[in-house]
Amino acid sequence: MKLQNTLTGKTEEFVPMDTKNVKVYTCGPTVYGYQHIGNYTAYIYWDILVRVLKLNGYIVKRVMNLTDVGHLVSDEDEGEDKMEKGARLAGKSVWEVAEFFADDFLKNFAALNLVEPTKICKASDYIEEDLNIIRTLKLKGYTYPTSDGIYYDTAKFPTYADFAHLNLQQLKAGARVKFNQEKHNISDFALWKIIKQGEKHDMQWPTPQDLWASKAMGYPGWHIECATIIKTELGDTIDIHTGGIDHIPVHHTNEIAQSEAANGVRLANYWLHCNFITIDGQKISKSLGNIYTFDDLAQKGFSHLDFKMWVIQGHFTSERNFSFESLEAAQTRLKNWQNWAVLRHQKSALGKKKLVATDTAGILAALSNNLNSAAALSIVDGIISQNDSVPSAQFLKFLDDCFGLALLESTPDISAKQKALLKKREAARADRDFATSDTLRQELSEQGVEVLDTIHGQIWHYR
């Protein structure tokens, strides 16, 4: 199995720390608002990763976080906490907002038929563990205080710039005027933010006296949260860390600096980063008005799995441009697969057609080659195009294990009453009673079953 590793910049053979068990961490969403389709793209790509690992015989322990505190609007540790901003706009408490949007995210996660992580962790449940890592970093000399919090001194971590290939001198030269003058370096970041007098912040915890000289309330920085959850749930070193390319220069760079300074070992052996999707060639943003949710797609007649098919037609490292025309093509492709899947219920009406003999190894080989789902889909299309092919339930289960498109679940057999209508229609056609035949076809269509007449007899599929 090969994966493109951001750490080395190469596509390389995947060699886990353990021959059977693989530890995976996925950066989850900040639950302050509705997630748009671009946000979900990453989770679809990483779903393919988990599925391919399992198909290759690994036992996957995967952890994903939900950020419900500490993610500031600006990467420079300035501005409002995104959760506080979401609560203010919604007129609700932060806790209410976090629960509502976490539930909405997980509802769509399930509707996409994504493999559920071994554990989903809320950042706010790991405050003591955050403070313990900050305490370790302080003892090792990596922290310093400012008027608004405890900061990580990136100059103390010599390889800080290596992961993202940062030019720190260029960053310093291009620093904005509002750069926090208390920071030792432009790249330094907050481990723990202190709540100033008069500042509103619903989520707050006491700052320990050994970390802050005076009595103060505070909350964790965004970057410490993932480092803490990984250490607590998966250990000091994991096999695979996943996220978006926007995480590379700040969030993941900071995760590495904190974890490796505190633990003294590498954080992750393989880093996988997915690219963005654009709409009409432009970045998805509220200001451009090009944000779509799954509710928007549903209003246009598209399902979660239609969108999933669209995503896996591409590669996680490629920038993709979304359009409703391309989504419609993906919907058609999925429908073709479903129409093929229902043939397993109709073998007696298919004449010389036979159960397809498939090389599942070829499909798995494509997926194992850096998650090349597009190549794997093309192999399946080639199988479907064979005029004498009918899928077995076993093969459809394999495809569901590969892609999570719910082919078996979405293509059950028709009911006994519907089969009786088909037999009645067949008899009507034999008697050349085409009026009755058409009436029965319409009755079945109204029940969601479309009937086709072939040289071998009636074939049906779901509308």
Side-chain angles (χ1 to χ4, degrees):
M1 182 173 176
K2 294 182 178 180
L3 297 172
Q4 186 164 324
N5 189 357
T6 305
L7 185 65
T8 62
K10 299 177 182 178
T11 300
E12 53 194 31
E13 197 72 29
F14 173 63
V15 181
M17 296 181 291
D18 183 282
T19 56
K20 276 293 180 185
N21 299 284
V22 176
K23 297 178 181 180
V24 180
Y25 182 77
T26 294
C27 277
T30 301
V31 287
Y32 71 103
Y34 291 107
Q35 303 291 307
H36 57 70
I37 59 172
N39 300 134
Y40 286 99
T41 301
Y43 306 110
I44 296 172
Y45 286 134
W46 309 142
D47 182 67
I48 297 297
L49 168 66
V50 172
R51 290 177 182 278
V52 176
L53 286 168
K54 289 186 173 184
L55 287 166
N56 276 284
Y58 295 114
I59 299 169
V60 181
K61 184 177 183 181
R62 180 191 181 205
V63 171
M64 182 176 72
N65 74 306
L66 297 176
T67 299
D68 58 357
V69 64
H71 191 171
L72 302 187
V73 171
S74 165
D75 283 339
E76 290 78 27
D77 294 307
E78 302 293 337
E80 192 174 9
D81 184 320
K82 287 188 176 184
M83 294 303 305
E84 297 287 340
K85 180 179 180 180
R88 177 171 52 79
L89 293 175
K92 301 177 182 290
S93 75
V94 174
W95 303 100
E96 290 172 330
V97 166
E99 182 178 7
F100 178 85
F101 288 114
D103 288 347
D104 183 76
F105 169 77
L106 294 174
K107 177 191 72 175
N108 287 305
F109 196 94
L112 285 164
N113 202 26
L114 305 180
V115 177
E116 186 175 343
T118 310
K119 189 168 185 178
I120 298 174
C121 306
K122 292 182 179 179
S124 59
D125 289 337
Y126 292 80
I127 301 303
E128 286 303 315
E129 292 84 354
D130 291 335
L131 292 167
N132 285 336
I133 292 182
I134 296 170
R135 190 172 284 113
T136 298
L137 291 170
K138 181 182 180 182
L139 290 172
K140 290 188 173 186
Y142 285 94
T143 71
Y144 63 89
T146 71
S147 62
D148 71 342
I150 302 168
Y151 279 72
Y152 183 100
D153 190 341
T154 57
K156 300 288 182 67
F157 191 72
T159 58
Y160 178 79
D162 292 359
F163 182 69
H165 308 291
L166 298 174
N167 185 328
L168 298 180
Q169 290 301 317
Q170 191 176 62
L171 280 177
K172 185 175 182 180
R176 292 180 292 183
V177 175
K178 69 175 186 178
F179 167 55
N180 184 345
Q181 298 299 317
E182 292 185 77
K183 288 168 64 171
H184 294 180
N185 311 282
I186 182 66
S187 52
D188 292 354
F189 57 93
L191 298 166
W192 185 262
K193 292 284 283 186
I194 297 297
I195 299 173
K196 298 177 182 178
Q197 188 173 3
E199 183 182 359
K200 182 183 182 301
H201 205 285
D202 288 347
M203 289 184 167
Q204 53 180 278
W205 294 267
T207 307
Q209 293 288 302
D210 61 332
L211 294 178
W212 195 257
S214 58
K215 187 176 181 181
M217 302 297 286
Y219 57 94
W222 177 35
H223 315 299
I224 192 70
E225 295 171 341
C226 287
T228 294
I229 292 171
I230 291 171
K231 180 178 177 63
T232 304
E233 301 297 339
L234 295 171
D236 291 351
T237 302
I238 62 174
D239 293 290
I240 303 173
H241 196 309
T242 65
I245 59 170
D246 53 321
H247 289 149
I248 296 173
V250 180
H251 184 48
H252 287 170
T253 289
N254 291 348
E255 271 190 62
I256 290 171
Q258 296 162 119
S259 295
E260 297 188 3
N263 303 328
V265 293
R266 178 183 284 181
L267 172 57
N269 291 325
Y270 298 83
W271 289 80
L272 273 62
H273 289 95
C274 63
N275 214 322
F276 297 117
I277 70 167
T278 59
I279 294 179
D280 297 326
Q282 295 180 302
K283 182 180 178 181
I284 299 175
S285 72
K286 290 181 180 178
S287 61
L288 292 174
N290 62 354
I291 288 178
Y292 297 113
T293 66
F294 283 115
D295 285 344
D296 295 324
L297 299 193
Q299 289 176 14
K300 292 180 177 289
F302 297 104
S303 71
H304 287 74
L305 293 183
D306 293 333
F307 180 72
K308 187 176 189 180
M309 175 64 93
W310 180 84
V311 172
I312 63 178
Q313 288 179 159
H315 194 262
F316 74 92
T317 61
S318 301
E319 184 177 288
R320 309 275 307 287
N321 186 64
F322 173 85
S323 69
F324 282 103
E325 291 77 14
S326 62
L327 181 59
E328 186 174 4
Q331 182 186 55
T332 298
R333 189 180 204 174
L334 178 58
K335 186 62 180 175
N336 288 339
W337 283 35
Q338 292 168 335
N339 288 344
W340 185 62
V342 300
L343 294 180
R344 72 188 188 278
H345 303 302
Q346 306 172 70
K347 293 188 287 293
S348 61
L350 293 173
K352 296 181 180 179
K353 290 198 176 187
K354 60 181 181 297
L355 288 177
V356 63
T358 56
D359 179 14
T360 55
I363 297 169
L364 181 55
L367 289 169
S368 299
N369 183 18
N370 200 27
L371 310 183
N372 193 343
S373 52
L377 294 178
S378 294
I379 294 173
V380 180
D381 285 339
I383 294 169
I384 292 174
S385 68
Q386 299 172 22
N387 291 328
D388 63 345
S389 66
V390 179
S392 65
Q394 182 180 8
F395 181 62
L396 292 175
K397 182 183 182 305
F398 169 75
L399 294 182
D400 281 342
D401 289 342
C402 289
F403 306 110
L405 292 171
L407 293 172
L408 281 172
E409 180 184 340
S410 63
T411 58
D413 201 356
I414 56 177
S415 68
K417 288 184 178 180
Q418 290 167 333
K419 289 179 181 179
L421 289 176
L422 278 176
K423 285 188 176 182
K424 188 176 180 181
R425 182 176 182 274
E426 186 177 35
R429 286 180 59 79
D431 292 339
R432 304 187 67 79
D433 183 358
F434 297 115
T436 299
S437 171
D438 290 344
T439 298
L440 292 169
R441 182 205 291 268
Q442 180 61 31
E443 185 176 346
L444 285 161
S445 179
E446 290 171 357
Q447 296 176 28
V449 178
E450 297 290 356
V451 182
L452 303 174
D453 294 310
T454 75
I455 59 173
H456 301 297
Q458 299 178 111
I459 301 296
W460 61 266
H461 60 79
Y462 288 107
R463 181 156 53 85

